[in-house]
PDB file of all heavy atoms in Angstrom:
ATOM      1  N   ILE A   1      54.488 -78.082  60.351  1.00  0.00           N
ATOM      2  CA  ILE A   1      53.323 -78.524  61.119  1.00  0.00           C
ATOM      3  C   ILE A   1      52.071 -78.059  60.386  1.00  0.00           C
ATOM      4  O   ILE A   1      52.129 -77.162  59.547  1.00  0.00           O
ATOM      5  CB  ILE A   1      53.308 -77.985  62.565  1.00  0.00           C
ATOM      6  CG1 ILE A   1      53.397 -76.455  62.582  1.00  0.00           C
ATOM      7  CG2 ILE A   1      54.412 -78.604  63.393  1.00  0.00           C
ATOM      8  CD1 ILE A   1      53.163 -75.841  63.944  1.00  0.00           C
ATOM      9  N   THR A   2      50.942 -78.677  60.709  1.00  0.00           N
ATOM     10  CA  THR A   2      49.665 -78.243  60.156  1.00  0.00           C
ATOM     11  C   THR A   2      48.723 -77.877  61.280  1.00  0.00           C
ATOM     12  O   THR A   2      48.832 -78.382  62.395  1.00  0.00           O
ATOM     13  CB  THR A   2      49.023 -79.337  59.282  1.00  0.00           C
ATOM     14  OG1 THR A   2      48.868 -80.530  60.068  1.00  0.00           O
ATOM     15  CG2 THR A   2      49.854 -79.628  58.053  1.00  0.00           C
ATOM     16  N   GLY A   3      47.789 -76.991  60.986  1.00  0.00           N
ATOM     17  CA  GLY A   3      46.778 -76.566  61.939  1.00  0.00           C
ATOM     18  C   GLY A   3      46.009 -75.394  61.356  1.00  0.00           C
ATOM     19  O   GLY A   3      46.433 -74.781  60.375  1.00  0.00           O
ATOM     20  N   ASP A   4      44.889 -75.062  61.957  1.00  0.00           N
ATOM     21  CA  ASP A   4      44.106 -73.905  61.518  1.00  0.00           C
ATOM     22  C   ASP A   4      44.629 -72.684  62.258  1.00  0.00           C
ATOM     23  O   ASP A   4      44.205 -72.374  63.355  1.00  0.00           O
ATOM     24  CB  ASP A   4      42.626 -74.127  61.805  1.00  0.00           C
ATOM     25  CG  ASP A   4      41.756 -72.972  61.353  1.00  0.00           C
ATOM     26  OD1 ASP A   4      42.291 -72.029  60.726  1.00  0.00           O
ATOM     27  OD2 ASP A   4      40.552 -73.003  61.636  1.00  0.00           O
ATOM     28  N   PHE A   5      45.562 -71.972  61.658  1.00  0.00           N
ATOM     29  CA  PHE A   5      46.263 -70.898  62.338  1.00  0.00           C
ATOM     30  C   PHE A   5      45.532 -69.559  62.312  1.00  0.00           C
ATOM     31  O   PHE A   5      45.861 -68.672  63.082  1.00  0.00           O
ATOM     32  CB  PHE A   5      47.680 -70.738  61.770  1.00  0.00           C
ATOM     33  CG  PHE A   5      48.494 -71.989  61.909  1.00  0.00           C
ATOM     34  CD1 PHE A   5      49.047 -72.588  60.802  1.00  0.00           C
ATOM     35  CD2 PHE A   5      48.682 -72.589  63.142  1.00  0.00           C
ATOM     36  CE1 PHE A   5      49.789 -73.758  60.925  1.00  0.00           C
ATOM     37  CE2 PHE A   5      49.411 -73.754  63.282  1.00  0.00           C
ATOM     38  CZ  PHE A   5      49.968 -74.341  62.169  1.00  0.00           C
ATOM     39  N   ASN A   6      44.548 -69.398  61.437  1.00  0.00           N
ATOM     40  CA  ASN A   6      43.829 -68.124  61.391  1.00  0.00           C
ATOM     41  C   ASN A   6      42.340 -68.256  61.710  1.00  0.00           C
ATOM     42  O   ASN A   6      41.595 -67.300  61.598  1.00  0.00           O
ATOM     43  CB  ASN A   6      44.024 -67.430  60.034  1.00  0.00           C
ATOM     44  CG  ASN A   6      43.457 -68.226  58.884  1.00  0.00           C
ATOM     45  OD1 ASN A   6      43.093 -69.391  59.035  1.00  0.00           O
ATOM     46  ND2 ASN A   6      43.396 -67.612  57.714  1.00  0.00           N
ATOM     47  N   GLY A   7      41.895 -69.447  62.123  1.00  0.00           N
ATOM     48  CA  GLY A   7      40.521 -69.640  62.572  1.00  0.00           C
ATOM     49  C   GLY A   7      39.469 -69.688  61.479  1.00  0.00           C
ATOM     50  O   GLY A   7      38.286 -69.510  61.767  1.00  0.00           O
ATOM     51  N   ASP A   8      39.846 -69.974  60.238  1.00  0.00           N
ATOM     52  CA  ASP A   8      38.872 -70.014  59.145  1.00  0.00           C
ATOM     53  C   ASP A   8      38.350 -71.421  58.858  1.00  0.00           C
ATOM     54  O   ASP A   8      37.665 -71.640  57.881  1.00  0.00           O
ATOM     55  CB  ASP A   8      39.441 -69.389  57.872  1.00  0.00           C
ATOM     56  CG  ASP A   8      40.625 -70.166  57.305  1.00  0.00           C
ATOM     57  OD1 ASP A   8      41.029 -71.194  57.893  1.00  0.00           O
ATOM     58  OD2 ASP A   8      41.164 -69.731  56.269  1.00  0.00           O
ATOM     59  N   ARG A   9      38.700 -72.373  59.713  1.00  0.00           N
ATOM     60  CA  ARG A   9      38.278 -73.778  59.602  1.00  0.00           C
ATOM     61  C   ARG A   9      38.928 -74.520  58.440  1.00  0.00           C
ATOM     62  O   ARG A   9      38.428 -75.543  57.984  1.00  0.00           O
ATOM     63  CB  ARG A   9      36.760 -73.906  59.547  1.00  0.00           C
ATOM     64  CG  ARG A   9      36.117 -73.401  60.804  1.00  0.00           C
ATOM     65  CD  ARG A   9      34.673 -73.642  60.847  1.00  0.00           C
ATOM     66  NE  ARG A   9      34.174 -73.093  62.107  1.00  0.00           N
ATOM     67  CZ  ARG A   9      32.946 -73.139  62.481  1.00  0.00           C
ATOM     68  NH1 ARG A   9      32.053 -73.706  61.714  1.00  0.00           N
ATOM     69  NH2 ARG A   9      32.581 -72.625  63.630  1.00  0.00           N
ATOM     70  N   ARG A  10      40.054 -73.975  57.954  1.00  0.00           N
ATOM     71  CA  ARG A  10      40.857 -74.674  56.949  1.00  0.00           C
ATOM     72  C   ARG A  10      42.240 -74.903  57.551  1.00  0.00           C
ATOM     73  O   ARG A  10      42.800 -74.034  58.216  1.00  0.00           O
ATOM     74  CB  ARG A  10      40.970 -73.854  55.662  1.00  0.00           C
ATOM     75  CG  ARG A  10      39.649 -73.718  54.920  1.00  0.00           C
ATOM     76  CD  ARG A  10      39.832 -73.123  53.539  1.00  0.00           C
ATOM     77  NE  ARG A  10      40.429 -71.812  53.551  1.00  0.00           N
ATOM     78  CZ  ARG A  10      39.768 -70.666  53.530  1.00  0.00           C
ATOM     79  NH1 ARG A  10      38.451 -70.660  53.543  1.00  0.00           N
ATOM     80  NH2 ARG A  10      40.412 -69.516  53.504  1.00  0.00           N
ATOM     81  N   THR A  11      42.797 -76.077  57.297  1.00  0.00           N
ATOM     82  CA  THR A  11      44.111 -76.413  57.815  1.00  0.00           C
ATOM     83  C   THR A  11      45.187 -75.703  56.993  1.00  0.00           C
ATOM     84  O   THR A  11      45.215 -75.810  55.773  1.00  0.00           O
ATOM     85  CB  THR A  11      44.338 -77.936  57.780  1.00  0.00           C
ATOM     86  OG1 THR A  11      43.337 -78.553  58.611  1.00  0.00           O
ATOM     87  CG2 THR A  11      45.709 -78.308  58.309  1.00  0.00           C
ATOM     88  N   ASP A  12      46.054 -74.991  57.695  1.00  0.00           N
ATOM     89  CA  ASP A  12      47.153 -74.241  57.089  1.00  0.00           C
ATOM     90  C   ASP A  12      48.452 -74.986  57.362  1.00  0.00           C
ATOM     91  O   ASP A  12      48.466 -75.995  58.069  1.00  0.00           O
ATOM     92  CB  ASP A  12      47.223 -72.836  57.704  1.00  0.00           C
ATOM     93  CG  ASP A  12      45.882 -72.131  57.694  1.00  0.00           C
ATOM     94  OD1 ASP A  12      45.303 -72.001  56.601  1.00  0.00           O
ATOM     95  OD2 ASP A  12      45.409 -71.721  58.773  1.00  0.00           O
ATOM     96  N   MET A  13      49.548 -74.478  56.828  1.00  0.00           N
ATOM     97  CA  MET A  13      50.856 -75.070  57.082  1.00  0.00           C
ATOM     98  C   MET A  13      51.726 -74.047  57.798  1.00  0.00           C
ATOM     99  O   MET A  13      51.794 -72.888  57.391  1.00  0.00           O
ATOM    100  CB  MET A  13      51.512 -75.501  55.775  1.00  0.00           C
ATOM    101  CG  MET A  13      52.844 -76.179  55.990  1.00  0.00           C
ATOM    102  SD  MET A  13      53.166 -77.597  54.920  1.00  0.00           S
ATOM    103  CE  MET A  13      51.847 -78.719  55.245  1.00  0.00           C
ATOM    104  N   GLY A  14      52.348 -74.489  58.885  1.00  0.00           N
ATOM    105  CA  GLY A  14      53.302 -73.668  59.609  1.00  0.00           C
ATOM    106  C   GLY A  14      54.695 -74.228  59.382  1.00  0.00           C
ATOM    107  O   GLY A  14      54.874 -75.438  59.213  1.00  0.00           O
ATOM    108  N   MET A  15      55.668 -73.350  59.370  1.00  0.00           N
ATOM    109  CA  MET A  15      57.030 -73.793  59.135  1.00  0.00           C
ATOM    110  C   MET A  15      57.989 -73.024  60.030  1.00  0.00           C
ATOM    111  O   MET A  15      57.913 -71.811  60.139  1.00  0.00           O
ATOM    112  CB  MET A  15      57.434 -73.556  57.671  1.00  0.00           C
ATOM    113  CG  MET A  15      58.900 -73.877  57.385  1.00  0.00           C
ATOM    114  SD  MET A  15      59.395 -73.601  55.664  1.00  0.00           S
ATOM    115  CE  MET A  15      59.069 -71.882  55.448  1.00  0.00           C
ATOM    116  N   MET A  16      58.875 -73.771  60.680  1.00  0.00           N
ATOM    117  CA  MET A  16      60.025 -73.157  61.333  1.00  0.00           C
ATOM    118  C   MET A  16      61.178 -73.354  60.366  1.00  0.00           C
ATOM    119  O   MET A  16      61.404 -74.461  59.878  1.00  0.00           O
ATOM    120  CB  MET A  16      60.337 -73.818  62.672  1.00  0.00           C
ATOM    121  CG  MET A  16      61.554 -73.217  63.364  1.00  0.00           C
ATOM    122  SD  MET A  16      61.885 -73.995  64.956  1.00  0.00           S
ATOM    123  CE  MET A  16      60.835 -73.007  66.007  1.00  0.00           C
ATOM    124  N   TYR A  17      61.871 -72.255  60.070  1.00  0.00           N
ATOM    125  CA  TYR A  17      62.960 -72.310  59.093  1.00  0.00           C
ATOM    126  C   TYR A  17      64.229 -71.756  59.733  1.00  0.00           C
ATOM    127  O   TYR A  17      64.226 -70.661  60.292  1.00  0.00           O
ATOM    128  CB  TYR A  17      62.614 -71.503  57.838  1.00  0.00           C
ATOM    129  CG  TYR A  17      63.596 -71.712  56.720  1.00  0.00           C
ATOM    130  CD1 TYR A  17      63.472 -72.788  55.867  1.00  0.00           C
ATOM    131  CD2 TYR A  17      64.664 -70.847  56.537  1.00  0.00           C
ATOM    132  CE1 TYR A  17      64.380 -73.001  54.838  1.00  0.00           C
ATOM    133  CE2 TYR A  17      65.582 -71.044  55.511  1.00  0.00           C
ATOM    134  CZ  TYR A  17      65.434 -72.125  54.669  1.00  0.00           C
ATOM    135  OH  TYR A  17      66.331 -72.333  53.659  1.00  0.00           O
ATOM    136  N   ARG A  18      65.290 -72.532  59.637  1.00  0.00           N
ATOM    137  CA  ARG A  18      66.588 -72.116  60.177  1.00  0.00           C
ATOM    138  C   ARG A  18      67.345 -71.342  59.106  1.00  0.00           C
ATOM    139  O   ARG A  18      67.726 -71.880  58.068  1.00  0.00           O
ATOM    140  CB  ARG A  18      67.384 -73.340  60.626  1.00  0.00           C
ATOM    141  CG  ARG A  18      68.733 -72.980  61.266  1.00  0.00           C
ATOM    142  CD  ARG A  18      69.514 -74.216  61.618  1.00  0.00           C
ATOM    143  NE  ARG A  18      69.764 -74.969  60.386  1.00  0.00           N
ATOM    144  CZ  ARG A  18      70.017 -76.264  60.333  1.00  0.00           C
ATOM    145  NH1 ARG A  18      70.046 -76.991  61.427  1.00  0.00           N
ATOM    146  NH2 ARG A  18      70.238 -76.874  59.194  1.00  0.00           N
ATOM    147  N   GLN A  19      67.559 -70.055  59.379  1.00  0.00           N
ATOM    148  CA  GLN A  19      68.296 -69.184  58.460  1.00  0.00           C
ATOM    149  C   GLN A  19      69.781 -69.528  58.519  1.00  0.00           C
ATOM    150  O   GLN A  19      70.262 -70.073  59.515  1.00  0.00           O
ATOM    151  CB  GLN A  19      68.086 -67.714  58.852  1.00  0.00           C
ATOM    152  CG  GLN A  19      66.641 -67.269  58.900  1.00  0.00           C
ATOM    153  CD  GLN A  19      65.980 -67.253  57.537  1.00  0.00           C
ATOM    154  OE1 GLN A  19      66.615 -66.991  56.523  1.00  0.00           O
ATOM    155  NE2 GLN A  19      64.684 -67.534  57.508  1.00  0.00           N
ATOM    156  N   PRO A  20      70.537 -69.202  57.479  1.00  0.00           N
ATOM    157  CA  PRO A  20      71.980 -69.493  57.479  1.00  0.00           C
ATOM    158  C   PRO A  20      72.739 -68.895  58.673  1.00  0.00           C
ATOM    159  O   PRO A  20      73.720 -69.465  59.131  1.00  0.00           O
ATOM    160  CB  PRO A  20      72.465 -68.879  56.160  1.00  0.00           C
ATOM    161  CG  PRO A  20      71.265 -68.909  55.275  1.00  0.00           C
ATOM    162  CD  PRO A  20      70.094 -68.656  56.187  1.00  0.00           C
ATOM    163  N   ASP A  21      72.247 -67.768  59.224  1.00  0.00           N
ATOM    164  CA  ASP A  21      72.930 -67.151  60.367  1.00  0.00           C
ATOM    165  C   ASP A  21      72.519 -67.748  61.711  1.00  0.00           C
ATOM    166  O   ASP A  21      72.977 -67.312  62.754  1.00  0.00           O
ATOM    167  CB  ASP A  21      72.699 -65.635  60.377  1.00  0.00           C
ATOM    168  CG  ASP A  21      71.264 -65.243  60.716  1.00  0.00           C
ATOM    169  OD1 ASP A  21      70.395 -66.137  60.887  1.00  0.00           O
ATOM    170  OD2 ASP A  21      70.997 -64.025  60.802  1.00  0.00           O
ATOM    171  N   GLY A  22      71.627 -68.765  61.699  1.00  0.00           N
ATOM    172  CA  GLY A  22      71.179 -69.413  62.923  1.00  0.00           C
ATOM    173  C   GLY A  22      69.859 -68.890  63.456  1.00  0.00           C
ATOM    174  O   GLY A  22      69.278 -69.477  64.366  1.00  0.00           O
ATOM    175  N   THR A  23      69.360 -67.793  62.922  1.00  0.00           N
ATOM    176  CA  THR A  23      68.036 -67.289  63.293  1.00  0.00           C
ATOM    177  C   THR A  23      66.989 -68.320  62.877  1.00  0.00           C
ATOM    178  O   THR A  23      67.098 -68.920  61.812  1.00  0.00           O
ATOM    179  CB  THR A  23      67.754 -65.945  62.586  1.00  0.00           C
ATOM    180  OG1 THR A  23      68.755 -65.013  62.953  1.00  0.00           O
ATOM    181  CG2 THR A  23      66.386 -65.406  62.939  1.00  0.00           C
ATOM    182  N   MET A  24      65.981 -68.519  63.724  1.00  0.00           N
ATOM    183  CA  MET A  24      64.897 -69.441  63.388  1.00  0.00           C
ATOM    184  C   MET A  24      63.615 -68.629  63.253  1.00  0.00           C
ATOM    185  O   MET A  24      63.205 -67.953  64.191  1.00  0.00           O
ATOM    186  CB  MET A  24      64.754 -70.507  64.468  1.00  0.00           C
ATOM    187  CG  MET A  24      65.943 -71.423  64.527  1.00  0.00           C
ATOM    188  SD  MET A  24      65.729 -72.669  65.786  1.00  0.00           S
ATOM    189  CE  MET A  24      67.418 -72.826  66.349  1.00  0.00           C
ATOM    190  N   LYS A  25      63.024 -68.686  62.073  1.00  0.00           N
ATOM    191  CA  LYS A  25      61.818 -67.914  61.789  1.00  0.00           C
ATOM    192  C   LYS A  25      60.620 -68.836  61.650  1.00  0.00           C
ATOM    193  O   LYS A  25      60.717 -69.927  61.104  1.00  0.00           O
ATOM    194  CB  LYS A  25      61.977 -67.109  60.501  1.00  0.00           C
ATOM    195  CG  LYS A  25      62.871 -65.914  60.619  1.00  0.00           C
ATOM    196  CD  LYS A  25      62.777 -65.065  59.354  1.00  0.00           C
ATOM    197  CE  LYS A  25      63.566 -63.787  59.514  1.00  0.00           C
ATOM    198  NZ  LYS A  25      63.423 -62.938  58.325  1.00  0.00           N
ATOM    199  N   MET A  26      59.490 -68.354  62.128  1.00  0.00           N
ATOM    200  CA  MET A  26      58.217 -69.037  61.919  1.00  0.00           C
ATOM    201  C   MET A  26      57.523 -68.391  60.734  1.00  0.00           C
ATOM    202  O   MET A  26      57.510 -67.168  60.594  1.00  0.00           O
ATOM    203  CB  MET A  26      57.317 -68.935  63.153  1.00  0.00           C
ATOM    204  CG  MET A  26      57.763 -69.787  64.321  1.00  0.00           C
ATOM    205  SD  MET A  26      57.850 -71.561  63.984  1.00  0.00           S
ATOM    206  CE  MET A  26      56.159 -71.972  63.597  1.00  0.00           C
TER     207      MET A  26
END
């Protein structure tokens, strides 16, 4: 996903990643 995640007025990239053990990390 994209959005300004730190409030600096620049669009950043967010990622949800599924680890091999099933854990999902942002």
Side-chain angles (χ1 to χ4, degrees):
I1 56 171
T2 57
D4 181 5
F5 301 123
N6 63 349
D8 65 0
R9 297 186 181 181
R10 292 190 301 265
T11 299
D12 309 304
M13 183 140 302
M15 174 180 60
M16 179 179 273
Y17 189 84
R18 183 183 61 203
Q19 303 293 327
D21 70 356
T23 301
M24 293 181 215
K25 286 189 174 183
M26 287 300 298

